[in-house]
Amino acid sequence: MNSPLPIRRALAVLAASLALAACTSTPPPPPPAVDTTTPAQRMAAVQAAAGADDKELSVQPLRDPQVDDLRHVATERREAGDLAGAAEALDQALPLVESDPGILQERAEIALLQGDWARAETLARKAVSLGSRTGPLCRRHWATVEQAHLARGEKENATSAHAQIEGCTVPGIKRY
């Protein structure tokens, strides 16, 4: 006759194994990487994307002297570290030339420096819709959109915006 002892022993080992297995757990997922990019570093990336190439087609609008004065004030304030003052000067210029993609871009860049990612993206996208689809200004628009997405951790959207930057480069006319 078969003894129930080996079956009991097997069940005891199985129960102990299950109890031990229940005590183990998988380690928690690592915390998401903290993005330590500063607004100034994001702005530097926008400026680098714009580049400077005199062999490229670049469209520049004519500007109202009052708007140019406000842009100059904004530049001075920005260089002095007064981002709120720079934003205020550009906010005064915007109603005078609502459809100027350059002013919109400058204001978007101030928003980027202020860490206002949503406003930076909104202004840059508006500038894209109103401006030229080529040249350094076009690249600044899309680089601003890209940086706003990166700042919010939206990598797929940032990749899509980055792809638009390449389309902004159109060689100028070669004259012989």
Side-chain angles (χ1 to χ4, degrees):
M1 182 165 136
N2 286 342
S3 168
L5 189 58
I7 293 174
R8 285 187 185 167
R9 187 175 294 155
L11 287 175
V13 169
L14 179 62
S17 297
L18 287 174
L20 288 174
C23 292
T24 64
S25 64
T26 58
V34 176
D35 186 355
T36 59
T37 307
T38 66
Q41 290 169 323
R42 294 192 186 289
M43 185 62 210
V46 169
Q47 291 170 336
D53 187 354
D54 61 353
K55 296 178 183 143
E56 181 180 19
L57 178 64
S58 179
V59 178
Q60 298 296 320
L62 297 174
R63 291 216 165 81
D64 178 303
Q66 183 180 3
V67 172
D68 270 344
D69 289 345
L70 288 167
R71 287 179 68 229
H72 181 70
V73 168
T75 300
E76 286 178 344
R77 290 180 179 171
R78 177 177 151 188
E79 289 172 355
D82 179 10
L83 295 177
E88 181 183 329
L90 291 172
D91 287 342
Q92 289 175 22
L94 281 172
L96 302 173
V97 286
E98 294 174 7
S99 62
D100 185 332
I103 302 295
L104 286 164
Q105 180 59 35
E106 290 172 24
R107 183 60 182 91
E109 290 171 359
I110 295 298
L112 192 69
L113 287 169
Q114 292 175 315
D116 188 349
W117 316 129
R119 179 124 194 228
E121 180 185 1
T122 299
L123 291 166
R125 283 191 180 276
K126 185 174 182 182
V128 165
S129 71
L130 295 170
S132 171
R133 304 286 192 265
T134 63
L137 189 56
C138 176
R139 287 191 297 275
R140 283 171 54 200
H141 301 328
W142 285 111
T144 301
V145 172
E146 175 190 27
Q147 290 301 317
H149 284 302
L150 286 172
R152 293 188 304 243
E154 301 167 353
K155 293 187 191 276
E156 285 183 32
N157 293 336
T159 300
S160 175
H162 184 78
Q164 298 294 323
I165 294 171
E166 292 301 315
C168 294
T169 302
V170 176
I173 300 169
K174 292 184 181 182
R175 301 184 190 225
Y176 298 96

